[in-house]
Amino acid sequence: FTYYEQIGILEKNLQGKGFFRCHKSYLINLKHVDSYNRQEVILDQGERVAVAKRRYDQFCMEILEYMRKR
């Protein structure tokens, strides 16, 4: 959904709650990740979200940690 706030503020508020900022414009809920590759995350509804190259390694660590906790 659309949210009118600086994404950095929202990211800080959601830190440690299962969200990850995969691109400068996208903050995703990790529980809705269906699959991913180096270029994009595919969510359970089929939506595709870009993953920034510099955030890919951190995303992999976050998604694996999230999956381990579940």
Side-chain angles (χ1 to χ4, degrees):
F1 64 91
T2 304
Y3 181 80
Y4 295 98
E5 180 73 65
Q6 290 180 353
I7 195 166
I9 294 170
L10 182 60
E11 179 183 18
K12 286 180 185 178
N13 290 337
L14 295 173
Q15 192 170 24
K17 296 179 180 168
F19 288 81
F20 183 77
R21 188 171 178 183
C22 59
H23 190 274
K24 69 178 183 177
S25 302
Y26 298 107
L27 191 60
I28 60 170
N29 187 331
L30 296 175
K31 79 176 183 180
H32 293 289
V33 173
D34 187 49
S35 63
Y36 64 92
N37 58 45
R38 286 198 160 281
Q39 289 80 32
E40 63 188 5
V41 174
I42 302 164
L43 303 176
D44 54 8
Q45 296 291 319
E47 187 173 355
R48 295 172 181 264
V49 179
V51 176
K53 290 179 186 179
R54 66 184 187 93
R55 296 178 195 239
Y56 179 74
D57 291 336
Q58 183 66 35
F59 171 75
C60 289
M61 291 183 350
E62 292 281 335
I63 193 73
L64 290 175
E65 183 64 27
Y66 177 81
M67 290 167 54
R68 203 173 298 146
K69 288 180 180 178
R70 298 201 78 207

